[in-house]
Amino acid sequence: MEQRGTAGGRQRTRAVHAGGLSHPSAGPDASLGSMTTPVYRTTGFTFDTAEQMAETAAGHGERFLYSRYDNPSLHEAEQKLAALEGAGAGADVGAVVFSSGMAAVTAALMAGLSAGDHFIAQAELYGGTTGLIRRVLRRFGVDVTYVEAAALGGPGLDQRLDSAASPATRAVYLETPANPTLRIVDIEAVARTARARGWRLLVDNTFASPINQRPLALGADVVIHSATKYLAGHSDLTAGFVVTQGEMLDKARELRIDLGGCLDASVAWLLARSMKTLALRIAAQNDNAMAVAGCLERHPKVARVHYPGLASHPGHETARRQMSGFGGMVSFEMADEQVAPRVIAALRLIRLAPTLGGVETTASVPALSSHVKLTPDERRAAGIGDGLIRLSVGVEDTADIIEDLEQALG
């Protein structure tokens, strides 16, 4: 069953109104005047005739069959994100929601790659994605070549991508801003090169959210989200999305059925509810992160700050072109690598946590958390030193966040 992101209005309006009872499948619920879409806690759906069930099982019509396949509660979240990510990219963009961000990453890669295929991946990726590539995809005959973010833009991009490619290359996989280095890749430039060679471009847009960046409008073919982070925004649910169109959309939906990564209806309802405030939360996090990054850049014990909103960031100009906001993630390197764990331990307001994107500010040392399974050499290649601290800046009062950082840094 297909749904498309056609809701009108600007992003804040889409976040509130896209999806919900406007969908044809809502049926009689729409006439009750409910302000919210109900939760459909059912494993399956009944039919009047066997022929009607057969037609639905074949994928025809607007009815639902079985909640591992699809469920009305999932549609509101899917329509909402399709409307947000699809803005400026055409009316036929659709979204498929999964039980986790890694389930979404897995489906997106499997939808476009088969045994014997090769793809090009940005070297600076979330540790879970790197693990999937190394421990799973390679076992099934899919090969990869990594290219550093710094090489994915500017003069000579075509030649650099060609040198990483092979006759079996089918796709390019990006994550921008990257976790945790906040490195920026020129999506539009990579999309032009990929399209000219018949490769698909997949972009993990988790750190930016569709409020700050819309890769489909920049030429990407597939967008991936760990909805656990900014889309949900309250550190209380796990989910993921694939946003695309055409054949890739159909394949992503089929893989959700085949792999069993369907999201629970109650969690989908919470996700759709949370996404209504996405634009408001992101605006506050953008402002707070910019202030925090500026403060850290001036601190004598901080060697370097990674934030695309700073003029000192090597990807600043590209970020200005392709992003409408610079996001809530800030990472910084301590002048003395050995003190990073002590700084984390001294924080009072800011909490040590492995996740990000919530309304509360959290911190982590990636070498000891998200990227701990990488070898030291792999971490160094990705720009992750032992003294790197990652901040997910929340919506608290800016002064309180900065005061906590300053007392912890000493």
Side-chain angles (χ1 to χ4, degrees), residues 251-267:
K251 286 184 175 180
R253 195 171 296 284
E254 288 171 0
L255 281 164
R256 184 174 71 185
I257 296 171
D258 294 339
L259 298 178
C262 187
L263 189 64
D264 176 79
S266 294
V267 178

Side-chain angles (χ1 to χ4, degrees), residues 144-195:
V144 63
T145 299
Y146 291 103
V147 177
E148 291 187 0
L152 293 170
L157 172 62
D158 288 1
Q159 291 80 3
R160 289 192 293 275
L161 283 174
D162 285 342
S163 67
S166 79
T169 300
R170 300 291 179 265
V172 180
Y173 188 100
L174 305 179
E175 183 181 295
T176 180
N179 180 9
T181 59
L182 283 301
R183 290 176 179 171
I184 300 296
V185 176
D186 188 332
I187 297 172
E188 197 166 18
V190 176
R192 282 196 301 269
T193 301
R195 188 179 302 111

Side-chain angles (χ1 to χ4, degrees), residues 46-70:
T46 62
F47 296 86
D48 297 326
T49 66
E51 290 76 16
Q52 190 181 58
M53 180 183 288
E55 182 182 25
T56 303
H60 306 306
E62 291 289 339
R63 294 182 64 92
F64 294 87
L65 179 72
Y66 184 60
S67 281
R68 180 167 62 82
Y69 290 24
D70 215 345

Side-chain angles (χ1 to χ4, degrees), residues 287-311:
D287 291 344
N288 277 352
M290 189 73 219
V292 166
C295 174
L296 290 170
E297 194 171 42
R298 296 186 294 270
H299 200 284
K301 293 185 180 179
V302 174
R304 187 178 182 187
V305 179
H306 305 278
Y307 186 67
L310 295 175

Side-chain angles (χ1 to χ4, degrees), residues 81-154:
L81 187 61
L84 291 167
E85 281 288 1
D92 60 344
V93 172
V96 184
V97 68
F98 290 84
S99 56
S100 70
M102 283 309 303
V105 172
T106 301
L109 287 168
M110 290 184 69
L113 297 168
S114 300
D117 287 346
H118 169 269
F119 72 106
I120 299 168
Q122 180 182 334
E124 305 87 347
L125 295 176
Y126 168 56
T129 304
T130 303
L132 170 71
I133 294 169
R134 182 179 60 198
R135 294 190 296 271
V136 180
L137 292 185
R138 281 178 165 163
R139 284 177 53 213
F140 290 91
V142 176
D143 197 16
V144 63
T145 299
Y146 291 103
V147 177
E148 291 187 0
L152 293 170

